[in-house]
Amino acid sequence: GICIIATIAFIFRFKQGLTPSPLRIIFMLLSVLLVILAFFKVDAFAPGRTPSWHFKVHGRKNLLVCQFASALYEKSEPSTGVLKDGVGDIVERFDTFILDMWGVMHDGSRPYKGVLDVVKRLREQDKKLIILSNSSKRKENSIKMLKKLGFDPDDFDDIITSGEVAYQMLSGELDLWNVLKNGKSGVSNKKVFVFGSGDDDGVYCESCGWKLASIEEANLIIARGTFTINDGSAVVNKEENAELYESELETKLHQAALRRVPMLVTNPDKVRPDVGRPPMPGKIGDRYEEILRESSSSIDCKALVKRVGKPFTDVYDIALRNVMDRNRVCMVGDALETDIVGAAASGISSVWILLDGVYGPDLKGDEGNLIASAQRITAEFNEKTGTYAGDQRVSPDIILHHFRW
């Protein structure tokens, strides 16, 4: 209001033929700029997103990238996010909630306190709920898990797993990777070597048209688990002989690198949100890329190693295929490297569940100083190299203690 009054006063002086001083002219221009910004509701430096100016005029949103703002942003640490008491505080902001499973909804054996209730409340408010899991197993496995934990699978508008998306790629139903196309640029002889979970690895591959084979014969590697190594004739099990497993893992990866065998990682997670944070298939993908780079500096690792799941946008695009307004969507997750990075890359808001999931064990006793803990964890993550975030400095938009109302 003051800016508007000041602007009108200066215009009146001009009409009277009075020449304002240079300082007053500068003040007038700043006043006009502030009025414009107030009118257009500028929202700059959205946490965890590429810096941009968002102009909202009469309900329509247009995007103008401001290079100056980007330069300033890159030199600053993104804010950590806003701490809220529960989902009830943010429910009006979003129409669609994309939910991680393990670390948000359950701990692998039981649902977290309050989660069943929050799902019920969101459905009562006609919110769209989509499960997006990095599980390397198929959709029906997640449905069984939901029922076992006391959830009603019908409460969810869609259930998407990395394993299901990868399965559809392997069977030819989804075209997300040129390597899997038949003919010159793809695989015509479907033989696969598997780093598996030990749970239906053979059935998973063979039911979509692939035959298990040795690393010498295979023209594809699938990394879907960190428990077994399976070539169709013999299985090395880590639980039975951990030393042999680790040795064979390194040997097979080096052999595959010599032949430039492409790898499909059906779970990009690098650690499981469990005691000791055991490794996940994403670690195998990272190690394979390291070996490929060591073998040749000119090799295109990204072309040879395809990861299916969060934070990569393929799965978000599938989840959001029927969503018109991404501004009304949030990703609820516990992992910065997959859930939060993926949300930012897909242009949706992120809700970070901090006291459950992957960071929960480290934060016992820190509940009263959660923002400081969140800032520390985020800063440490942003200083790491070799993460899925790349050069992007990430931060969640919203922080919750738990996924509760």
Side-chain angles (χ1 to χ4, degrees):
I2 293 172
C3 292
I4 292 173
I5 293 170
T7 303
I8 292 171
F10 280 123
I11 292 172
F12 182 75
R13 288 176 67 85
F14 273 120
K15 284 190 173 183
Q16 288 185 320
L18 300 174
T19 304
S21 67
L23 186 61
R24 286 183 175 179
I25 292 174
I26 292 171
F27 182 76
M28 181 189 70
L29 293 174
L30 288 174
S31 299
V32 172
L33 178 62
L34 287 172
V35 170
I36 292 172
L37 295 184
F39 178 76
F40 285 105
K41 296 181 182 178
V42 173
D43 172 23
F45 309 125
R49 295 206 179 95
T50 303
S52 56
W53 296 100
H54 296 273
F55 292 90
K56 292 185 179 179
V57 187
H58 305 303
R60 298 184 63 186
K61 182 172 181 179
N62 301 300
L63 183 64
L64 174 65
V65 177
C66 178
Q67 298 297 334
F68 178 67
S70 295
L72 288 177
Y73 181 86
E74 287 169 0
K75 294 180 181 179
S76 65
E77 185 68 30
S79 61
T80 305
V82 179
L83 179 64
K84 298 290 185 179
D85 290 332
V87 176
D89 290 343
I90 63 171
V91 68
E92 296 301 325
R93 288 183 54 181
F94 305 110
D95 299 321
T96 301
F97 290 76
I98 301 178
L99 309 176
D100 183 30
M101 282 187 69
W102 196 336
V104 172
M105 298 173 64
H106 67 84
D107 64 1
S109 59
R110 62 182 64 83
Y112 290 117
K113 180 181 177 182
V115 173
L116 291 168
D117 174 66
V118 79
V119 168
K120 178 182 176 182
R121 287 171 179 256
L122 288 171
R123 292 305 295 176
E124 288 173 349
Q125 297 203 23
D126 203 29
K127 302 298 181 179
K128 178 176 280 191
L129 303 180
I130 299 171
I131 288 177
L132 185 56
S133 168
N134 273 2
S135 168
S136 59
K137 297 180 180 180
R138 299 196 64 190
K139 176 179 178 178
E140 59 260 27
N141 181 271
S142 292
I143 292 175
K144 290 177 183 176
M145 173 64 82
L146 288 169
K147 290 179 178 178
K148 180 181 176 182
L149 295 172
F151 293 94
D152 182 353
D154 291 335
D155 283 339
F156 304 95
D157 296 87
D158 205 352
I159 299 170
I160 301 164
T161 70
S162 301
E164 182 66 36
V165 175
Y167 184 91
Q168 293 180 20
M169 291 170 61
L170 291 164
S171 63
E173 296 175 53
L174 276 178
D175 181 12
L176 300 177
W177 192 26
N178 286 336
V179 167
L180 294 179
K181 292 181 179 178
N182 290 328
K184 271 188 176 181
S185 63
V187 174
S188 56
N189 190 14
K190 296 185 176 183
K191 292 184 178 181
V192 62
F193 182 86
V194 179
F195 295 107
S197 62
D199 186 11
D200 296 329
D201 295 320
V203 173
Y204 179 88
C205 297
E206 291 167 3
S207 63
C208 59
W210 290 76
K211 181 181 179 181
L212 293 173
S214 67
I215 201 67
E216 292 81 12
E217 296 179 314
N219 44 34
L220 179 68
I221 301 168
I222 295 179
R224 66 186 303 260
T226 55
F227 295 100
T228 61
I229 300 173
N230 192 341
D231 65 2
S233 61
V235 177
V236 177
N237 192 308
K238 182 164 64 174
E239 292 183 351
E240 295 175 359
N241 192 331
E243 186 176 344
L244 176 61
Y245 172 88
E246 295 297 338
S247 173
E248 282 293 295
L249 175 64
E250 279 293 300
T251 299
K252 300 305 182 186
L253 289 176
H254 277 87
Q255 290 174 342
L258 291 175
R259 297 183 54 232
R260 305 290 191 267
V261 183
M263 175 184 284
L264 182 66
V265 181
T266 64
N267 183 340
D269 286 353
K270 297 179 183 180
V271 295
R272 188 165 70 243
D274 205 350
V275 178
R277 294 182 186 167
M280 295 291 279
K283 286 279 190 182
I284 296 177
D286 284 358
R287 179 57 184 147
Y288 190 43
E289 285 194 1
E290 288 176 8
I291 295 170
L292 286 168
R293 282 192 292 268
E294 290 169 2
S295 66
S296 173
S297 58
S298 62
I299 197 165
D300 185 0
C301 295
K302 300 303 179 186
L304 281 178
V305 181
K306 172 70 173 179
R307 294 171 173 85
V308 180
K310 299 171 294 184
F312 303 98
T313 55
D314 292 337
V315 292
Y316 284 91
D317 290 339
I318 292 171
L320 297 170
R321 61 191 181 278
N322 296 320
V323 173
M324 300 300 294
D325 186 2
R326 293 198 179 195
N327 294 308
R328 300 282 297 171
V329 180
C330 68
M331 172 74 224
V332 184
D334 66 303
L336 285 175
E337 189 166 8
T338 52
D339 302 313
I340 308 306
V341 170
S346 300
I348 61 176
S349 296
S350 57
V351 179
W352 190 19
I353 305 300
L354 200 50
L355 292 183
D356 297 319
V358 69
Y359 299 108
D362 294 340
L363 297 177
K364 287 183 178 178
D366 289 350
E367 291 86 347
N369 198 19
L370 203 59
I371 285 294
S373 297
Q375 290 172 340
R376 173 181 57 80
I377 292 170
T378 304
E380 290 173 356
F381 176 80
N382 283 327
E383 290 303 316
K384 288 181 181 178
T385 58
T387 71
Y388 294 142
D391 295 330
Q392 181 187 13
R393 301 184 73 79
V394 301
S395 178
D397 297 307
I398 298 166
I399 301 172
L400 297 180
H401 298 75
H402 311 276
F403 187 51
R404 298 177 190 169
W405 192 258

